[in-house]
Amino acid sequence: MQKIINCLILFLLVFQFTYLKAEVKPTFVRSADTNVNQAIGVTLTPDGTRIHFSQYGTSPVITQYDLSIPFNVSSIDTASIVTLNVNSGDSGDFLVSNRLEGHTFNSDGTKLYAIDMAGNMNVHSLSTPYDISNFSKDADDGVDWATFAAGEGGSDSARRSHGIRFNNDGTKMFLMDVNGTVGIAEFNLSTPFLPGSASFGNFFAITENSKTLQDFDFDDDGTRMYVIESNEASTNNKIYVYKLSTGFDTSTATFVGSVVNVFSAAGADGSAGGMRFAKNGMKFYQVTWNGTLKNKVFEYDLSCPFGIVICEAEVATAIGAQAEIAKNVIYQNSNTIFRRFDWLRRNEEKRNLNSHDIKLDINNPILASFKHKLENSLKHNLENSLNNNQYIHASLKDKNPFKNMRNWSHWSHGDISFGRVGEKGFVKPKDIRTRGIMFGADKLIDNKIFGLAFRYGNDDVKIDTDAGSKLDSQAYTLNLYSSLPLDGKSNLNALIGASFLSIDQLVKGTITGERYGRQIFTSLTYQNENEYTDYDLIPFGKLELGITQLSEYTDFGTSATNSVDLHERLTFKTGNISGGLKFDDILYLDEKTISRNGFVEYIYDLTPDIDHFFKNYHDNVLVRKTIKKHSLHNTRGNIGFEYANINGYTFAINYERFQSLSDSAYSDSLLFKLGKKQVHQANFDVIYDPTNNNKTTISYLKNFGNFNLKLNSNYSLFSKIPDYGANLEISGTF
């Protein structure tokens, strides 16, 4: 019955989106003169500060202007004009009568490609990306693109090119053919961005139009293709949209729909020339080469990334973020528990195993803004709210005289992390914030440590686009862990964990989809504690493996996106293997000790590519999004010290850096710990959280025999309308 109800709800929502919502089409913003005779093509640099036009007329040139306001065509600086003649001569080899039809760049802007109607192609190398003022012409590849592979795949015997594009990595090239059987010719390139290395791939015939096709473009991952036709009357100009179930594979293309009269908001007609999207997909640009709007460039806003006919969420980025959340849950749990083992080893002679600390992970760009708040907060006691000095200290080493005691030791750990994952191909940048708290208990049994720990974590992932997309997740994890002594001073640390995940997908504050998940994982470390040098170097190796299953879910979108996506269940594996050296040198001074510690670690990522499948209600086409791993080789380094005196005061600070060896990705972490052992069976703590509205929590714990008295209060500093509260707790044990 519940399944029937769910199906009815989905049907009603689809009906509502299909029949009641407005058509998804560009919204006219502004237009400007191109100052080009018969503008036939247009491109913008990724940062929107430069625009290029192709000129169709008898003097085929490519014209470059700077934009004083990025992506704003009304800010064209005509004084910055630079032209490149692609006609026959030192800079070109076109014939005047053949006419230029379009141009494009490679992925980093160091190559410029121009195509004419007769199948001639120019390639120019640029010493400065996207700047045609300093170029050198590449040698002609000798290919006649009007006849190369013509007749294959259903095309006719001759080709007239009206546009050129590449896929993201340059392993495919696409030409629009408007002669006879019209469509898109797809070529495979054995050398990226080298047309001369092409072999025929596929010909996709376009049968939906009856007018001349002029240009085409793809979305960021090649799963949508847009084709524009050219006609005198603007009322007949259309943009056709196709879905590709495999990115940049035209053999998987399916027609979705079209929009008509894209010039209507401008108040006149014109023959459509080239088209192009802004890099983030939220703007659309169009030039005209004929009619009353001749030689104009038009700028449009889109309601969602690449939103013409249909809107789809940032699926690849969102699914990639969900996978990163799952990996981060595993890392946070294993990292915290293995830090517990390191703390035990450094404090083996102390009688109290209880420890409570707070961890802040902060990337460099925002570290400075928290400096004073961190310095002030570290003046307060951040731990020991649960300390009880009647417990006996467990140890990882044989020489502990209390090794057979079986009392439980309790510990807690709080962590806050900030980070940013940069853009990777068509996966958008993400700002990530993670908060978590972990409680654990362990004890010594026959010289072995056994324990369990529970962690609650919250991940906020903001996708860096104008669409306002983000993910909000909750994770609940139970861990069982153990440390087993081996021969000599070696030991094997192990844990197994299970998590329940809840992930909300939001667009501009509105929940559009809810997904649930579960995972199991294990992590093992081996370390040898023989004192090889004065600094007690400890070789270690680590293996971490996990399996995560995320439920199927429906992304209902919003009224602006006019989209419903049905996502299939996703199961994927994650893992890494690492090895390195820890060091720990303890100085025993009068009534105090100082530990200098840290590690250097090499990490090899074992996570495979992740394939995710979904359908959009508009076309019911099953689409595969592949989330590729970003970095196989990584390093992590840590250095710090811990101070403890006879009165029980301890202070520790550690700096940690994670660095990708495959790209420039990195993150920085800081760990601060300040505390004092329990005195006279009473604890007084002040915890200051600068990341949560400057919230300050004051806690007092007093023991009266079998009764505990606990007083809590909180206050939000620096707020115009501060939050505050207090509570009193009395508990007893019998």
Side-chain angles (χ1 to χ4, degrees):
M1 177 61 70
Q2 186 61 43
K3 290 185 177 180
I4 295 176
I5 294 174
N6 291 338
C7 290
L8 288 173
I9 293 173
L10 179 59
F11 172 78
L12 291 173
L13 287 169
V14 171
F15 177 84
Q16 178 187 16
F17 277 101
T18 305
Y19 296 104
L20 301 182
K21 299 302 178 183
E23 183 181 36
V24 181
K25 62 186 299 184
T27 301
F28 174 73
V29 177
R30 59 181 66 90
S31 65
D33 290 325
T34 64
N35 300 304
V36 171
N37 182 29
Q38 294 184 299
I40 201 69
V42 59
T43 56
L44 285 92
T45 55
D47 62 2
T49 59
R50 184 166 288 163
I51 193 168
H52 298 86
F53 300 111
S54 297
Q55 179 172 297
Y56 174 73
T58 56
S59 298
V61 298
I62 296 174
T63 303
Q64 169 182 301
Y65 295 105
D66 292 337
L67 299 179
S68 58
I69 303 174
F71 300 105
N72 186 328
V73 298
S74 65
S75 70
I76 289 177
D77 179 9
T78 56
S80 67
I81 185 172
V82 178
T83 59
L84 171 61
N85 186 355
V86 294
N87 198 356
S88 57
D90 293 338
S91 62
D93 50 17
F94 289 176
L95 298 177
V96 172
S97 60
N98 287 340
R99 307 296 180 90
L100 177 62
E101 287 289 355
H103 72 274
T104 194
F105 293 89
N106 66 348
S107 58
D108 62 4
T110 57
K111 293 279 188 181
L112 170 66
Y113 305 81
I115 190 80
D116 74 0
M117 68 170 62
N120 298 301
M121 185 184 298
N122 281 172
V123 182
H124 293 81
S125 296
L126 308 180
S127 58
T128 302
Y130 302 103
D131 185 357
I132 64 175
S133 62
N134 192 353
F135 66 87
S136 61
K137 182 181 176 299
D138 291 7
D140 191 347
D141 56 28
V143 179
D144 181 357
W145 293 102
T147 59
F148 180 76
E152 294 194 50
S155 61
D156 50 30
S157 59
R159 180 175 296 118
R160 176 176 173 174
S161 297
H162 265 204
I164 178 173
R165 296 291 189 275
F166 294 91
N167 66 345
N168 293 332
D169 61 8
T171 57
K172 287 190 177 185
M173 182 179 72
F174 304 86
L175 297 176
M176 171 173 278
D177 181 8
V178 300
N179 183 55
T181 304
V182 299
I184 306 295
E186 175 185 324
F187 302 94
N188 298 315
L189 304 183
S190 58
T191 301
F193 296 106
L194 182 63
S197 67
S199 61
F200 178 75
N202 183 64
F203 183 82
F204 177 71
I206 295 175
T207 60
E208 284 73 30
N209 78 305
S210 59
K211 306 295 187 302
T212 300
L213 299 181
Q214 184 56 54
D215 201 5
F216 69 107
D217 205 0
F218 294 95
D219 68 348
D220 53 355
D221 64 355
T223 56
R224 275 179 280 176
M225 182 171 68
Y226 305 81
V227 176
I228 193 168
E229 65 182 8
S230 181
N231 192 64
E232 279 293 324
S234 65
T235 55
N236 293 326
N237 285 320
K238 290 184 180 180
I239 299 177
Y240 301 92
V241 180
Y242 300 83
K243 286 285 294 293
L244 285 67
S245 58
T246 301
F248 296 105
D249 183 353
T250 57
S251 67
T252 67
T254 302
F255 177 67
V256 176
S258 63
V259 292
V260 186
N261 194 16
V262 296
F263 293 123
S264 61
D269 62 6
S271 296
M275 55 181 265
R276 194 67 67 136
F277 291 94
K279 184 176 177 60
N280 66 0
M282 294 301 294
K283 279 187 175 293
F284 174 73
Y285 299 87
Q286 163 81 57
V287 292
T288 53
W289 67 277
N290 207 349
T292 58
L293 294 181
K294 179 181 177 181
N295 304 330
K296 291 275 191 179
V297 56
F298 298 86
E299 176 187 331
Y300 302 86
D301 283 341
L302 302 178
S303 59
C304 61
F306 304 95
I308 299 178
V309 176
I310 60 172
C311 274
E312 292 179 338
E314 292 286 346
V315 175
T317 305
I319 300 304
Q322 293 173 19
E324 288 297 325
I325 287 172
K327 292 175 65 175
N328 189 50
V329 169
I330 296 174
Y331 170 75
Q332 293 290 351
N333 279 274
S334 63
N335 184 56
T336 301
I337 289 175
F338 289 135
R339 283 182 182 274
R340 170 67 171 171
F341 288 128
D342 292 339
W343 189 88
L344 292 175
R345 183 179 56 80
R346 283 199 301 272
N347 295 274
E348 61 176 343
E349 303 301 334
K350 299 183 178 68
R351 294 178 58 86
N352 195 329
L353 243 181
N354 303 297
S355 68
H356 308 280
D357 60 328
I358 290 179
K359 178 185 176 184
L360 295 175
D361 292 343
I362 306 176
N363 274 10
N364 278 339
I366 61 173
L367 181 59
S369 65
F370 285 93
K371 179 178 179 182
H372 296 298
K373 295 177 182 178
L374 286 172
E375 290 174 346
N376 291 333
S377 66
L378 287 173
K379 295 177 182 179
H380 302 290
N381 190 349
L382 300 182
E383 62 170 27
N384 299 319
S385 63
L386 297 176
N387 272 355
N388 189 329
N389 60 11
Q390 62 182 302
Y391 294 134
I392 300 300
H393 194 53
S395 175
L396 295 176
K397 293 189 176 182
D398 293 340
K399 62 183 181 181
N400 180 14
F402 303 100
K403 66 181 180 180
N404 293 319
M405 299 302 294
R406 298 177 179 270
N407 290 320
W408 286 91
S409 298
H410 304 85
W411 57 276
S412 64
H413 179 94
D415 58 84
I416 302 174
S417 64
F418 299 85
R420 180 174 175 83
V421 178
E423 186 168 10
K424 302 290 183 179
F426 54 81
V427 177
K428 300 296 187 296
K430 300 179 288 291
D431 293 309
I432 302 173
R433 173 173 175 168
T434 302
R435 293 162 292 186
I437 186 169
M438 198 171 200
F439 298 96
D442 43 43
K443 68 176 179 177
L444 188 68
I445 301 177
D446 296 329
N447 206 33
K448 302 177 182 65
I449 294 291
F450 293 94
L452 65 146
F454 173 81
R455 182 180 187 273
Y456 165 77
N458 170 240
D459 285 78
D460 256 342
V461 181
K462 181 182 179 183
I463 299 174
D464 192 6
T465 69
D466 294 333
S469 301
K470 64 176 294 187
L471 298 175
D472 184 12
S473 74
Q474 320 288 324
Y476 307 87
T477 308
L478 180 64
N479 301 272
L480 301 176
Y481 61 91
S482 177
S483 180
L484 308 176
L486 304 177
D487 294 338
K489 293 186 177 181
S490 300
N491 57 70
L492 179 68
N493 302 327
L495 72 86
I496 183 171
S499 301
F500 174 77
L501 309 175
S502 174
I503 303 174
D504 290 338
Q505 184 169 301
L506 300 93
V507 176
K508 295 183 178 179
T510 300
I511 295 179
T512 62
E514 298 178 343
R515 192 169 207 175
Y516 300 95
R518 52 191 177 182
Q519 66 181 184
I520 59 172
F521 59 91
T522 186
S523 188
L524 302 171
T525 62
Y526 167 83
Q527 59 187 40
N528 189 317
E529 297 185 31
N530 289 292
E531 299 177 359
Y532 293 110
T533 69
D534 292 340
Y535 289 94
D536 195 4
L537 289 180
I538 304 170
F540 72 94
K542 182 179 179 182
L543 175 66
E544 188 174 272
L545 299 172
I547 299 177
T548 302
Q549 184 179 86
L550 300 179
S551 67
E552 59 185 18
Y553 80 107
T554 301
D555 178 6
F556 293 105
T558 64
S559 58
T561 61
N562 187 27
S563 179
V564 174
D565 293 326
L566 310 176
H567 296 265
E568 293 189 353
R569 178 180 297 178
L570 176 63
T571 301
F572 57 93
K573 301 175 183 178
T574 59
N576 59 69
I577 187 170
S578 62
L581 286 174
K582 295 182 181 180
F583 64 91
D584 195 348
D585 176 44
I586 302 178
L587 299 178
Y588 296 92
L589 306 175
D590 292 340
E591 299 184 340
K592 57 182 174 288
T593 61
I594 298 177
S595 168
R596 296 169 290 182
N597 56 84
F599 64 82
V600 177
E601 178 182 18
Y602 165 78
I603 307 165
Y604 183 83
D605 192 349
L606 301 174
T607 304
D609 293 344
I610 300 172
D611 288 333
H612 176 69
F613 296 88
F614 75 102
K615 295 180 180 179
N616 186 273
Y617 82 95
H618 274 288
D619 47 50
N620 204 35
V621 175
L622 186 65
V623 177
R624 178 182 67 186
K625 297 280 189 177
T626 299
I627 313 303
K628 295 184 176 295
K629 51 189 173 186
H630 299 322
S631 178
L632 291 175
H633 308 282
N634 310 276
T635 60
R636 182 181 284 116
N638 181 294
I639 188 169
F641 74 90
E642 182 177 87
Y643 166 88
N645 65 21
I646 195 172
N647 295 320
Y649 290 100
T650 63
F651 173 75
I653 182 172
N654 279 77
Y655 167 75
E656 183 172 304
R657 182 179 180 91
F658 174 89
Q659 178 70 59
S660 168
L661 300 179
S662 303
D663 51 41
S664 59
Y666 72 94
S667 64
D668 295 298
S669 304
L670 285 175
L671 168 65
F672 294 95
K673 181 178 178 180
L674 179 66
K676 187 182 185 303
K677 286 185 181 180
Q678 186 182 34
V679 178
H680 302 302
Q681 296 183 327
N683 288 321
F684 181 76
D685 299 308
V686 179
I687 300 178
Y688 173 52
D689 184 356
T691 67
N692 185 19
N693 197 28
N694 299 290
K695 184 178 180 180
T696 304
T697 301
I698 302 173
S699 175
Y700 175 77
L701 177 65
K702 177 68 175 178
N703 177 261
F704 299 94
N706 291 330
F707 291 93
N708 292 319
L709 173 67
K710 188 173 184 179
L711 176 65
N712 288 315
S713 178
N714 64 79
Y715 193 85
S716 297
L717 298 176
F718 312 120
S719 174
K720 293 182 179 179
I721 306 178
D723 297 326
Y724 57 89
N727 67 286
L728 179 67
E729 300 177 11
I730 299 178
S731 60
T733 57
F734 302 94

